[in-house]
Amino acid sequence: MSHLDALPPWAAILVAVLVLLGALLAFVGSLGLLRLKNFYKRVHAPTLGTTLGTFFMLAASITCFSVLHDRPIFYEILIGVFLTLTTPITLMLLVRAALYRDREEGSADVPQAPPHE
Amino acid sequence: MTRRWLPYPILSALLLLIWLLLNQSIAPGTILLGALLGVALAKVFGLLRPPKARVRNYPLLGLLFVRVVVDIVRSNIAVARIILRRDSRMQSGFVAIPLTLTDHYGLAVLACIITSTPGTIWVSYDSSANILLIHVLDLVDEASWIDSIKQRYERPLLEIFQ
């Protein structure tokens, strides 16, 4: 990690704070997976990591490499864009699968399917 | 002529932009290759026969974006608080929202907004009755959720896409 020595202290501190914030949010999201009681509650937790958590990580990366290379580097934004576009698909698939299963089992905790389906 | 070679100018421009960002260069060769890719991929996209998208109100789109970013930050904090507090009285549940929005792109954007915002998840959409089912982590008042989704997101989306 020798080239990171070239990072001036102010940038190093900023990057460290951003990385820690991002990691903290990802951690809280994972903690939510553990603590929340049912499937539908649990799917909410990881979105912390995919939104603000990712934002802080990307901001850290952009700051770090822009300072190191002395020019703006911001292609990390693309990671954010693709993540925002693709997470809903995964989450919706998971939730719909769970809902389908619960409806088939006749669970009283989920709203029933509309009659025509 | 333009319609034939450039059926989706915005899509082509975005693909070019992504290509330039990934390559981190604005050398003529990169631009040329990016432009070729942009035009070719947009033509491939056209083969899927996507429904026509029309953005009617760009400033409103920007406003909606800012609003969503603010909401995402706020609900990040709210959900983090719920998880850390271990509040067992917290009630979560499903909310059925009758929609007026029917445009495919509008619905897709709404899905991204609702799912990206921690605390709410898009569950299913009934296209014949136009009813959206979402799951809310911290559900206090069902009516206020319906109202806020309709007012904050659906109204601008209706104006933008429909």
Side-chain angles (χ1 to χ4, degrees), chain A residues 75-92:
Chain A
Y75 65 99
E76 284 93 338
I77 289 174
L78 290 176
I79 299 177
V81 172
F82 291 131
L83 211 58
T84 316
L85 289 179
T86 50
T87 11
I89 300 169
T90 327
L91 288 178
M92 279 160 76

Side-chain angles (χ1 to χ4, degrees), chain A residues 41-110:
Chain A
K41 288 183 186 176
R42 257 178 249 139
V43 268
H44 291 285
T47 46
L48 290 184
T50 60
T51 52
L52 260 197
T54 314
F55 168 79
F56 283 124
M57 284 294 177
L58 298 181
S61 168
I62 290 172
T63 317
C64 178
F65 292 103
S66 297
V67 172
L68 275 182
H69 294 275
D70 243 350
R71 65 190 168 89
I73 291 176
F74 44 84
Y75 65 99
E76 284 93 338
I77 289 174
L78 290 176
I79 299 177
V81 172
F82 291 131
L83 211 58
T84 316
L85 289 179
T86 50
T87 11
I89 300 169
T90 327
L91 288 178
M92 279 160 76
L93 269 176
L94 286 171
V95 172
R96 294 189 65 150
L99 185 69
Y100 180 77
R101 186 195 57 197
D102 283 348
R103 278 175 174 171
E104 285 291 294
E105 289 175 354
S107 163
D109 299 332
V110 296

Side-chain angles (χ1 to χ4, degrees), chain B residues 4-156:
Chain B
R4 180 151 176 218
W5 286 102
L6 214 57
Y8 303 99
I10 299 178
L11 178 67
S12 296
L14 281 174
L15 286 167
L16 171 63
L17 183 73
I18 290 173
W19 183 254
L20 294 181
L21 273 172
L22 283 173
N23 281 288
Q24 300 204 52
S25 121
I26 42 168
T30 324
I31 294 179
L32 186 68
L33 192 55
L36 279 175
L37 276 173
V39 172
L41 288 175
K43 274 186 90 75
V44 174
F45 175 69
L47 293 179
L48 296 171
R49 301 200 178 281
K52 195 108 184 92
R54 257 192 328 224
V55 176
R56 289 164 178 273
N57 193 334
Y58 280 97
L60 194 60
L61 195 64
L63 192 79
L64 182 67
F65 179 77
V66 174
R67 178 180 289 174
V68 169
V69 169
V70 172
D71 285 354
I72 286 179
V73 173
R74 286 211 320 229
S75 43
N76 259 276
I77 297 165
V79 171
R81 195 172 278 164
I82 288 171
I83 292 170
L84 292 175
R85 265 198 198 147
R86 256 202 244 234
D87 192 350
S88 53
R89 288 163 305 157
M90 190 252 316
Q91 288 288 315
S92 57
F94 294 90
V95 181
I97 305 174
L99 291 181
T100 352
L101 182 72
T102 47
D103 181 82
H104 283 67
Y105 295 98
L107 287 169
V109 175
L110 189 62
C112 282
I113 293 175
I114 289 179
T115 311
S116 299
T117 316
T120 50
I121 275 189
W122 175 291
V123 179
S124 71
Y125 168 66
D126 176 359
S127 57
S128 56
N130 209 9
I131 289 175
L132 165 68
L133 189 66
I134 65 169
H135 186 265
V136 179
L137 182 61
D138 189 11
L139 184 65
V140 184
D141 177 16
E142 211 169 302
S144 78
W145 271 103
I146 296 178
D147 200 47
S148 84
I149 299 264
K150 285 188 82 74
Q151 292 298 321
R152 289 186 73 78
Y153 307 130
E154 194 197 10
R155 237 196 11 207

